Amino acid sequence: GAVVSQHPSRVICKSGTSVKIECRSLDFQATTMFWYRQFPKKSLMLMATSNEGSKATYEQGVEKDKFLINHASLTLSTLTVTSAHPEDSSFYICSAAGSADTQYFGPGTRLTVL
Amino acid sequence: DAKTTQPPSMDCAEGRAANLPCNHSTISGNEYVYWYRQIHSQGPQYIIHGLKNNETNEMASLIITEDRKSSTLILPHATLRDTAVYYCIVSYSGTYKYIFGTGTRLKVLA
């Protein structure tokens, strides 16, 4: 099946710093990628949709200047959490869609902001 | 808001079939029903999806009612490794956004 990777799997940073998370589709080209966040014991919440070569579309309430998304190629999307604060600590998950068929999810990145 | 409603939790004996229901009464004619599961601290794993017809693969079967307002995911012989949160999602396609509901926490008991 289709494989999606994320890097890093876990990151701890100081408040005020920026953190970049990479999402890669390893064996298929993804025209569309999605970013979600998940708090403990909660469901996944969609943050944004990114299409290769164009600006991401953010869900209501998600600050685009805080969560920068770049989808520079058909196999790579990045999420940068700028000026991270403790409330940004969460589990960030990406997914990729190669065709109209279905989305495949990455293993997630756990961000802890001290 | 999610267009699906699922029971918050279910138990199933190991080796027995697990039947997970999902209501999606406002589903549009061209929306698919997708099922994923999430094991603790991992990304969701794709299980199966369908539009109108029942579907079966090596993991599970999907039964969609004729009016498409509900569906059931069937794990034919549940094992302890099937313990997870199961999400039912309706969406126009894989390239369209998914809105997750609260899912069903399935616990398979030895």
Side-chain angles (χ1 to χ4, degrees):
Chain A
V3 180
V4 177
S5 70
Q6 281 185 240
H7 178 79
S9 58
R10 188 180 296 266
V11 57
I12 300 172
C13 69
K14 292 183 179 180
S15 187
T17 61
S18 295
V19 175
K20 180 185 284 188
I21 302 169
E22 293 186 347
C23 175
R24 293 182 186 273
S25 56
L26 298 185
D27 51 3
F28 67 101
Q29 293 187 322
T31 54
T32 307
M33 288 184 168
F34 303 84
W35 287 95
Y36 300 80
R37 66 189 298 184
Q38 184 175 32
F39 293 107
K41 298 189 185 301
K42 299 293 185 182
S43 186
L44 282 76
M45 185 185 77
L46 179 66
M47 300 175 67
T49 302
S50 83
N51 291 292
E52 187 264 340
S54 62
K55 289 185 178 180
T57 302
Y58 291 82
E59 294 299 302
Q60 191 172 8
V62 178
E63 299 175 60
K64 63 181 183 188
D65 295 329
K66 180 165 188 61
F67 299 100
L68 301 179
I69 292 171
N70 184 276
H71 192 162
S73 78
L74 288 173
T75 59
L76 174 64
S77 176
T78 60
L79 168 68
T80 301
V81 183
T82 63
S83 186
H85 288 95
E87 58 266 29
D88 298 322
S89 297
S90 189
F91 192 50
Y92 291 87
I93 307 170
C94 72
S95 69
S99 64
D101 200 26
T102 189
Q103 291 180 30
Y104 296 94
F105 286 80
T109 296
R110 186 159 304 281
L111 170 65
T112 303
V113 184
L114 302 176
Chain B
D1 289 348
K3 296 179 69 172
T4 59
T5 304
Q6 299 176 253
S9 64
M10 292 180 64
D11 290 342
C12 176
E14 189 178 20
R16 303 296 295 269
N19 296 284
L20 292 91
C22 179
N23 287 323
H24 31 79
S25 58
T26 61
I27 190 170
S28 300
N30 50 355
E31 283 185 302
Y32 289 81
V33 179
Y34 292 88
W35 283 84
Y36 287 80
R37 70 182 182 185
Q38 186 178 28
I39 297 170
H40 183 62
S41 296
Q42 297 181 25
Q45 176 190 21
Y46 168 76
I47 300 173
I48 199 167
H49 76 284
L51 184 63
K52 295 181 181 178
N53 299 322
N54 298 336
E55 303 287 344
T56 296
N57 63 21
E58 64 278 4
M59 288 184 70
S61 294
L62 172 60
I63 309 297
I64 302 174
T65 58
E66 195 168 339
D67 63 7
R68 303 211 321 125
K69 291 186 177 182
S70 66
S71 61
T72 300
L73 178 74
I74 301 172
L75 307 178
H77 305 287
T79 71
L80 298 179
R81 288 183 294 180
D82 292 322
T83 293
V85 178
Y86 287 76
Y87 293 102
C88 166
I89 300 159
V90 297
S91 182
Y92 293 103
S93 74
T95 55
Y96 196 77
K97 61 183 179 182
Y98 290 174
I99 303 299
F100 281 77
T102 53
T104 295
R105 186 172 297 276
L106 175 69
K107 183 184 287 187
V108 180
L109 306 172

